[in-house]
Amino acid sequence: MNDVRPDAVIILAAGEGTRMRSTLPKVLHPIGGAPLLGHSMRAASAAGASETVVVIRHQRDRVAAFVEDFAGRLEGHAVIADQDEVKGTGRAVECGLQALPADLSGTVVVTMGDVPLLSAETIGELTRAHAEAGAAVTVVTSVLEDPQSYGRIIRDAKGDVERIVEFKDATEDERAVTEINSGIYAFDVAVLRRELANVTTENAQGEKYLTDVLALARAAGGTVHAHVIPDRWQAEGVNDRVQLAALGRILNERTCERHMRAGVTIVDPATTWIDTDVSIGADTTIQPGTQLLGATSIGSGTTIGPEVTLTDCWVGDDVHLRRAEGELAVVGDGASVGPYSYLRPGTRLGAKGKIGGFVETKNTTIGEGAKVPHLTYAGDAEIKEGANIGAGTIFANYDGATKSRTVVGRHTFVGSQSVLVAPVEIADGAYVAAGSAVTDPIEPGQLGIARARQRTIDGWVAKRHPGTPTDAAAKAAASSSSPTTESSEDQQ
Ligand code: UD1
Ligand code: CA
């Protein structure tokens, strides 16, 4: 009994999810960076099912597009089955079965698109327990302190599973039962096909309940087994946004724990949010208030945070990155970013480079050791190795119609408060005088000055602002400053 892979997995995702009160289908609401349905698909795929069917109906095209895209990312394949107008989880499975080969035999696992924490290991253990018990049906159950509106597991005097009763159909006594139906099952496919045909819609919701298959299978002489799991969160489903947040928090705790065990310091897991696909190297420290999202990858020995949000970013080793927001940005080894920096898509900061306070970058490459330390916007630019961009420099990349590029050469120094009007190229080893508005090329070794020369007008204050404190200060300064005598006194 080494082979514990299910022959097929059917994932139910056709329901409307009215309790979410959302225009987005329930199964597409995300936690940990992936829609609920994505988590179910990933578990099915990792459990090694030979066939995966996803049953859809509500907002069919939107859900189908997601299923196709996500199956591709899992390097797998999912068959889409459409549920018809008959409602209920039983009907959904019937429609799912129609998408599977008619001669399929063995074990079909049914999971729910709204139970996101169920793991591939649990699917494997369920399949093994089902095979070992020689059962017709095995249902995954859990005992909850507050069983809410879950279906209740009703056992007979011997303790064997007799049936499942839905909360809405349950009596007071049945509602007092704390063992709940997770909605995850392993079925003998022949029993499932046969008994689904016998399920009616005579219940409080007028739906074809999958749960009714258990009592029918038992009545036909089959064994109905319960696989009780101690980790209750794997059995919990999302019906509303309160449960969405609760499961999102548990998933995040588990993700943080996994990284901490692998050598990452997370100072405050409660305020740190890490999507499931993020990778982090050992001896990296995550400070409070940090969100690492999407396919973000962080190297080793790096410090991230406090208050950093990175989406789909790549960050190297020994980086210092604090109070910043980044998306589709690359930060090289030993670089420093922040505080208050905004790295927009296409930012590539080289090794040991710097993006400092109140700097916004977009589609800009900053070479090794180059620095953009203060109050700058750099868009569509190439700032080469060792260059220094003075405080308040603006890369004017947009003329209202088109965007153009700016190049700043190697070890070139741009003085503060300059505007570099694209397209423009400043060569290697050049200087730009502070306050310049650069519109023409500057060649290697040149100084570019693009501002009016300073004028000074004698007696202007006395003439324009006579009798003011400024005028008085000027007069006092003039009478006391007799430069020759003062400096000779100092030297004695
Ligand atoms: C279901 C179970 C309940 C169990 C709970 C666990 C039934 C009758 N009840 O109730 O015993 O405790 O899950 O979370 O099975 N779906 C379809 N087609 C439909 C209806 C639902 O595909 O016609 C899908 C939904 O998209 C969802 C899943 O089935 O992914 C569960 O549907 P939901 O309406 O949330 O069922 P519950 O009332 O939670
Ligand atoms: Ca549910």
Side-chain angles (χ1 to χ4, degrees):
M1 214 157 290
N2 288 324
D3 192 4
V4 290
R5 300 183 315 153
D7 295 291
V9 175
I10 299 176
I11 303 173
L12 307 190
E16 201 175 332
T18 42
R19 288 166 280 182
M20 295 298 281
R21 298 182 184 279
S22 177
T23 54
L24 183 69
K26 172 169 77 176
V27 294
L28 296 190
H29 278 262
I31 60 171
L36 298 175
L37 179 55
H39 292 282
S40 305
M41 288 175 65
R42 193 188 304 241
S45 156
S50 356
E51 305 266 0
T52 301
V53 178
V54 183
V55 184
I56 61 176
R57 175 176 161 83
H58 178 68
Q59 292 200 44
R60 185 236 172 250
D61 292 347
R62 203 164 170 185
V63 181
F66 168 75
V67 169
E68 267 153 23
D69 175 64
F70 201 82
R73 277 194 272 159
L74 291 173
E75 286 168 20
H77 168 71
V79 179
I80 288 166
D82 286 288
Q83 186 175 351
D84 55 19
E85 59 293 331
V86 181
K87 283 193 169 170
T89 48
R91 184 60 184 171
V93 171
E94 257 184 326
C95 296
L97 282 172
Q98 280 164 19
L100 286 169
D103 60 351
L104 183 84
S105 65
T107 304
V108 172
V109 167
V110 173
T111 72
M112 304 269 180
D114 64 351
V115 180
L117 296 194
L118 180 79
S119 69
E121 292 71 37
T122 301
I123 294 177
E125 284 157 20
L126 163 69
T127 312
R128 184 200 298 272
H130 177 75
E132 281 172 356
V137 186
T138 304
V139 54
V140 175
T141 73
S142 188
V143 177
L144 302 187
E145 237 166 68
D146 172 16
Q148 305 170 63
S149 61
Y150 288 105
R152 304 296 204 263
I153 304 294
I154 307 300
R155 292 177 181 258
D156 64 15
K158 276 171 44 203
D160 292 336
V161 177
E162 197 177 276
R163 62 195 162 90
I164 296 173
V165 61
E166 285 307 289
F167 180 78
K168 285 185 179 150
D169 300 291
T171 64
E172 201 95 323
D173 282 354
E174 288 167 339
R175 286 182 179 185
V177 171
T178 54
E179 184 179 12
I180 61 104
N181 170 26
S182 67
I184 317 293
Y185 323 77
F187 291 98
D188 177 296
V189 68
V191 173
L192 182 61
R193 276 213 167 92
R194 188 186 71 220
E195 299 306 343
L196 273 174
N198 298 323
V199 173
T200 68
T201 57
E202 283 154 28
N203 52 54
Q205 302 186 84
E207 293 184 2
K208 209 164 174 179
Y209 289 167
L210 177 60
T211 46
D212 286 353
V213 168
L214 276 75
L216 292 167
R218 187 176 143 114
T223 302
V224 176
H225 184 64
H227 182 64
V228 189
I229 54 171
D231 177 10
R232 55 171 279 220
W233 293 107
Q234 287 200 45
E236 295 240 12
V238 171
N239 295 307
D240 59 29
R241 298 193 202 224
V242 176
Q243 287 170 311
L244 183 75
L247 288 183
R249 187 173 56 79
I250 298 296
L251 176 61
N252 188 58
E253 273 174 18
R254 291 180 176 192
T255 303
C256 286
E257 216 176 291
R258 169 162 57 83
H259 288 294
M260 289 188 280
R261 294 203 188 284
V264 177
T265 294
I266 298 178
V267 175
D268 182 19
T271 62
T272 301
W273 291 84
I274 304 178
D275 281 353
T276 51
D277 282 350
V278 169
S279 69
I280 310 175
D283 282 324
T284 279
T285 297
I286 312 293
Q287 300 281 5
T290 294
Q291 294 168 286
L292 302 176
L293 309 176
T296 292
S297 162
I298 313 281
S300 305
T302 281
T303 301
I304 307 276
E307 309 288 340
V308 166
T309 300
L310 299 179
T311 307
D312 299 326
C313 287
W314 187 95
V315 177
D317 299 337
D318 305 311
V319 168
H320 206 97
L321 208 159
R322 63 203 156 116
R323 294 187 204 281
E325 169 114 15
E327 188 183 346
L328 286 166
V330 171
V331 178
D333 294 345
S336 140
V337 175
Y340 310 106
S341 315
Y342 182 21
L343 280 57
R344 292 169 53 201
T347 296
R348 302 179 73 89
L349 176 60
K352 296 198 170 70
K354 181 183 174 84
I355 292 178
F358 303 99
V359 171
E360 175 178 336
T361 56
K362 186 217 74 174
N363 194 20
T364 286
T365 301
I366 299 168
E368 190 174 329
K371 293 185 167 61
V372 188
H374 332 272
L375 301 156
T376 285
Y377 171 64
D380 301 311
E382 185 179 355
I383 299 167
K384 294 186 182 171
E385 170 199 329
N388 190 301
I389 307 299
T393 296
I394 302 298
F395 288 67
N397 60 325
Y398 185 51
D399 64 7
T402 53
K403 292 189 174 150
S404 306
R405 288 190 68 77
T406 299
V407 177
V408 175
R410 294 175 53 236
H411 297 281
T412 280
F413 185 94
V414 176
S416 296
Q417 189 76 4
S418 293
V419 184
L420 310 181
V421 183
V424 70
E425 186 162 345
I426 303 165
D428 294 351
Y431 263 72
V432 174
S436 290
V438 178
T439 52
D440 298 324
I442 301 172
E443 300 298 331
Q446 289 183 335
L447 166 69
I449 307 183
R451 57 169 147 84
R453 182 166 269 289
Q454 180 173 333
R455 284 202 299 152
T456 42
I457 302 167
D458 286 340
W460 187 90
V461 172
K463 194 171 150 200
R464 287 295 186 87
H465 301 285
T468 62
T470 306
D471 187 27
K475 292 201 163 108
S479 67
S480 72
S481 78
S482 168
T484 41
T485 52
E486 210 171 66
S487 62
S488 59
E489 270 166 23
D490 282 349
Q491 275 159 15
Q492 280 167 359

